[in-house]
C-alpha cells in the first residue's frame, strides 16, 4: 500500500492548484508555505517534509484536494488518510507529526489562548468538527506522545501558511527532500 514518489508528484500536479478550502491559497501554496516556515525555523529535514506532506490526505481522500470547506458537516480525518501510504516508505519523524497535526491544534487551543484567537474562521469551524479544544488532561496526555512536540511545531506553521502570494522555494526544492527521505522508513519511537 506504499505510495510511490511519482504518485506524490501526480497528486500535487492534479490537486495542488485547487483551493485550500475557503482560504485564499491553493493546496500547493499551503504545502510550500508550511514547509518553508519549518525550514526557516531550522527544523529537521524530516519535519520539513512532514510539513510539506501534512495535508496529503486531502488529496488522497474523497474530497480530492478540497480542504475543510465551510459546507462540510463532519471531519474528513485527513490526518489519517495518508498514513498507510506514507508509513511503509518514510521514517516515523515524517509520518507521526502528520498523524498528530489535527490533535495538535486541539492541544494548542487548550494551552495557548492566543493561538486560538489567531485561528482563521475555517480553522475554528474545523476545530469543532475535529473534537473541539482539549481538556487540560487531554492536553497533558497529548504532550507526552512521541513526536507531539514536532506536531505542535508543524501545526503552528500549518496555521500561518495561508498567505496569498507568499514567496517560497519551488515544488522541486521540497520534492527533492521528499525523494531523499523516501525509502528510509523506521519504527515509531
Amino acid at each position: 500500500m506504499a505510495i510511490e514518489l511519482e504518485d506524490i508528484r501526480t497528486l500535487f500536479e492534479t490537486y495542488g492548484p485547487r483551493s485550500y478550502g475557503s482560504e485564499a491559497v491553493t493546496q500547493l501554496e499551503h504545502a510550500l508555505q508550511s514547509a518553508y516556515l519549518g525550514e526557516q525555523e531550522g527544523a529537521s529535514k524530516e519535519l520539513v517534509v512532514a510539513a510539506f506532506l501534512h495535508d496529503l490526505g486531502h488529496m488522497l481522500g474523497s474530497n480530492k484536494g478540497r480542504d475543510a470547506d465551510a459546507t462540510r458537516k463532519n471531519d474528513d480525518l485527513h490526518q489519517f488518510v495518508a498514513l498507510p501510504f506514507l508509513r511503509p516508505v518514510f521514517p516515523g519523524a515524517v509520518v507521526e507529526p502528520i498523524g498528530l497535526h489535527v490533535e495538535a491544534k486541539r492541544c494548542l487551543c487548550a494551552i495557548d489562548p492566543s493561538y486560538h484567537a489567531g485561528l482563521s474562521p475555517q480553522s475554528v469551524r474545523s476545530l469543532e468538527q475535529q473534537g473541539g479544544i482539549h481538556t487540560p488532561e487531554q492536553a497533558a496526555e497529548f504532550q507526552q506522545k512521541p513526536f507531539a512536540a514536532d506536531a505542535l511545531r508543524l501545526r503552528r506553521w500549518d496555521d500561518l501558511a495561508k498567505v496569498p502570494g507568499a514567496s517560497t522555494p519551488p515544488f522541486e526544492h521540497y520534492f527533492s527532500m521528499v525523494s531523499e527521505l523516501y525509502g528510509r522508513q523506521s519504527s515509531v519511537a
Side-chain angles (χ1 to χ4, degrees):
M1 197 166 187
I3 195 165
E4 298 292 329
L5 276 173
E6 285 309 307
D7 294 334
I8 295 171
R9 179 187 298 279
T10 299
L11 286 167
F12 274 103
E13 287 172 351
T14 304
Y15 302 112
R18 292 194 180 174
S19 174
Y20 183 66
S22 63
E23 304 291 355
V25 295
T26 66
Q27 292 280 337
L28 177 59
E29 288 170 324
H30 178 67
L32 292 171
Q33 288 180 34
S34 296
Y36 184 61
L37 288 164
E39 195 172 31
Q40 291 298 295
E41 198 175 287
S44 68
K45 188 173 291 184
E46 290 82 1
L47 191 51
V48 170
V49 167
F52 184 65
L53 298 177
H54 78 277
D55 279 341
L56 201 66
H58 286 306
M59 297 181 207
L60 287 163
S62 62
N63 288 330
K64 297 294 187 197
R66 290 177 190 87
D67 195 1
D69 67 46
T71 61
R72 198 175 64 234
K73 303 284 188 245
N74 299 311
D75 182 22
D76 67 356
L77 302 174
H78 75 280
Q79 70 274 25
F80 302 124
V81 171
L83 298 184
F85 299 95
L86 299 175
R87 194 166 273 128
V89 292
F90 287 104
V94 171
V95 178
E96 299 313 315
I98 293 171
L100 295 172
H101 83 276
V102 168
E103 191 176 358
K105 175 169 64 170
R106 298 178 63 212
C107 179
L108 282 167
C109 287
I111 64 175
D112 182 356
S114 67
Y115 171 83
H116 185 271
L119 290 177
S120 72
Q122 179 175 319
S123 287
V124 171
R125 275 190 302 277
S126 66
L127 172 65
E128 292 310 312
Q129 294 170 339
Q130 295 160 339
I133 299 171
H134 269 173
T135 65
E137 296 79 19
Q138 289 171 321
E141 184 179 318
F142 174 79
Q143 292 176 81
Q144 297 305 310
K145 291 182 179 183
F147 300 105
D150 285 344
L152 293 170
R153 290 176 74 194
L154 188 159
R155 185 70 228 185
R156 289 186 186 276
W157 307 328
D158 182 357
D159 291 309
L160 295 172
K162 300 172 183 176
V163 180
S167 179
T168 65
F171 172 84
E172 290 302 330
H173 175 75
Y174 296 107
F175 191 73
S176 70
M177 291 182 190
V178 169
S179 300
E180 185 178 328
L181 294 177
Y182 185 85
R184 296 187 184 181
Q185 70 277 14
S186 64
S187 61
V188 176

